[in-house]
Amino acid sequence: MAPLLPPLRLFAVFEAVTRTGSTQRAAIDLNVTQPAVSQALKTLEDFVGVRLFDRATRPITLTPAGEILRTGVSEGLGRITDAVERARALYLSADNSVTVACTVGTATYWLMPRLASFYADHPDIAVNVLTTAGSAEVLPGVDLVIRYGSGGWKDGHTVKLFDEKVTPVFSPLMRDSIRSLDDLRHATLLHVVNADTTWLTWKDYLDRMGLPDNKALGRNFTNYVQATQAALSGQGVMLGWESNTGDLVREGRLKALPGAEYHPREAFHLVIPAKSERRQACQVFSKWLNALMTVE
């Protein structure tokens, strides 16, 4: 299938000729030879299939077909120029956006529901959320990182956001079958298979709560979003983290097992790379997060 457009350089030559009024002046403007300009015009006419210039006149003038193309090329190049300027302005004034990296679960169930309040106070700053399957890292293009762990990382200044707590959670439909810690021995447990050993597994939780291992057949998921959806639909009991399921419990969509809370030593932190500490948008978003945690 033949291409719909010729090489864009031919349009640049065409625009230069129509703007300067001659192939010679266009050649000077484009820093090429006059024969190169003439050859480019012929190639463009061959592609379009019609004459674009009346070469019988001096200086050469556009044919009716040439006038149609001139209008389209002028508008098209004008739009491209405007887009380039706007893209450049966006880069030069990068303080109107901030890119935050965090896990899929943290983004879905904790950060995203709270961003509306940030936009209400700062409508001129765009927050781009980059989700990761494992622990978020400081990558090119990432301004801030929300990370779970013990802190003290080397890739940025660390500010503690909030402590975590872990509680078995399940659909209200299962409230009659899950009444105490003892009921976990026979419940269907929803497991999140994660290579990050910082996050507690069901085995870790049961061990630390002094409970026997669960021998029932469980269900495995690759991330907390999948496991949370399974818990919401009543497929089993999930090991709920405050950051992922806290809002769902407060809304009544999930039920937390009473007296079953475990408080790990790790917490959620905001990691601020050195490159971001001087950026106004990063400072604004960081202060907002800290103020949010004070209120909550």
Side-chain angles (χ1 to χ4, degrees):
M1 181 177 179
L4 297 177
L5 291 174
L8 294 182
R9 62 179 179 81
L10 300 183
F11 290 132
V13 173
F14 177 79
E15 186 278 334
V17 172
T18 57
R19 174 168 45 80
T20 62
S22 74
T23 57
Q24 183 177 8
R25 285 193 289 271
I28 295 173
D29 189 70
L30 297 171
N31 195 29
V32 297
T33 64
Q34 186 173 354
V37 171
S38 298
Q39 180 59 44
L41 294 180
K42 182 178 184 306
T43 302
L44 181 61
E45 287 180 325
D46 289 344
F47 187 95
V48 177
V50 295
R51 290 280 185 179
L52 301 175
F53 292 94
D54 183 355
R55 293 172 174 77
T57 61
R58 289 291 183 272
I60 60 175
T61 58
L62 289 169
T63 64
E67 287 288 355
I68 293 173
L69 188 62
R70 181 188 66 80
T71 300
V73 168
S74 178
E75 292 179 356
L77 292 179
R79 290 184 179 181
I80 293 174
T81 301
D82 179 64
V84 169
E85 291 301 321
R86 286 189 288 116
R88 183 179 292 118
L90 180 63
Y91 174 79
L92 294 177
S93 60
D95 261 355
N96 65 352
S97 68
V98 57
T99 298
V100 183
C102 57
T103 64
V104 176
T106 302
T108 303
Y109 296 113
W110 186 81
L111 180 58
M112 297 304 294
R114 289 162 173 77
L115 279 184
S117 64
F118 175 80
Y119 286 130
D121 295 333
H122 307 283
D124 55 330
I125 298 178
V127 180
N128 307 309
V129 180
L130 176 66
T131 60
T132 60
S135 181
E137 301 294 334
V138 176
L139 301 172
V142 172
D143 300 311
L144 301 170
V145 170
I146 298 175
R147 182 185 296 160
Y148 175 75
S150 57
W153 298 289
K154 305 296 185 182
D155 52 354
H157 174 61
T158 302
V159 178
K160 182 179 176 181
L161 292 177
F162 58 91
D163 291 314
E164 256 293 2
K165 70 176 179 181
V166 183
T167 312
V169 296
F170 46 89
S171 168
L173 299 174
M174 300 176 61
R175 70 178 70 198
D176 292 336
S177 58
I178 308 294
R179 295 176 177 272
S180 68
L181 283 169
D182 190 58
D183 292 330
L184 295 177
R185 292 186 303 166
H186 311 292
T188 299
L189 303 184
L190 306 177
H191 301 271
V192 177
V193 180
N194 196 325
D196 188 350
T197 57
T198 305
W199 296 84
L200 265 70
T201 64
W202 266 113
K203 185 179 185 308
D204 298 328
Y205 174 82
L206 294 173
D207 286 344
R208 296 182 189 188
M209 298 297 287
L211 300 172
D213 194 11
N214 178 294
K215 302 300 183 182
L217 182 64
R219 294 177 180 148
N220 296 332
F221 301 90
T222 59
N223 61 63
Y224 282 92
V225 174
Q226 295 172 347
T228 302
Q229 293 305 117
L232 287 167
S233 63
Q235 296 181 35
V237 184
M238 174 187 174
L239 198 56
W241 296 76
E242 174 65 21
S243 56
N244 290 347
T245 59
D247 287 347
L248 297 173
V249 170
R250 285 185 283 274
E251 294 167 3
R253 298 175 62 192
L254 286 176
K255 182 175 174 58
L257 184 62
E261 293 182 0
Y262 175 78
H263 297 269
R265 291 175 298 177
E266 295 79 13
F268 270 89
H269 300 80
L270 178 67
V271 181
I272 309 172
K275 64 179 181 179
S276 303
E277 290 186 332
R278 293 183 297 274
R279 288 196 52 223
Q280 183 66 22
C282 295
Q283 294 175 11
V284 171
F285 189 76
S286 299
K287 290 179 180 178
W288 172 79
L289 272 182
N290 284 319
L292 179 67
M293 292 300 94
T294 301
V295 173
E296 293 192 355

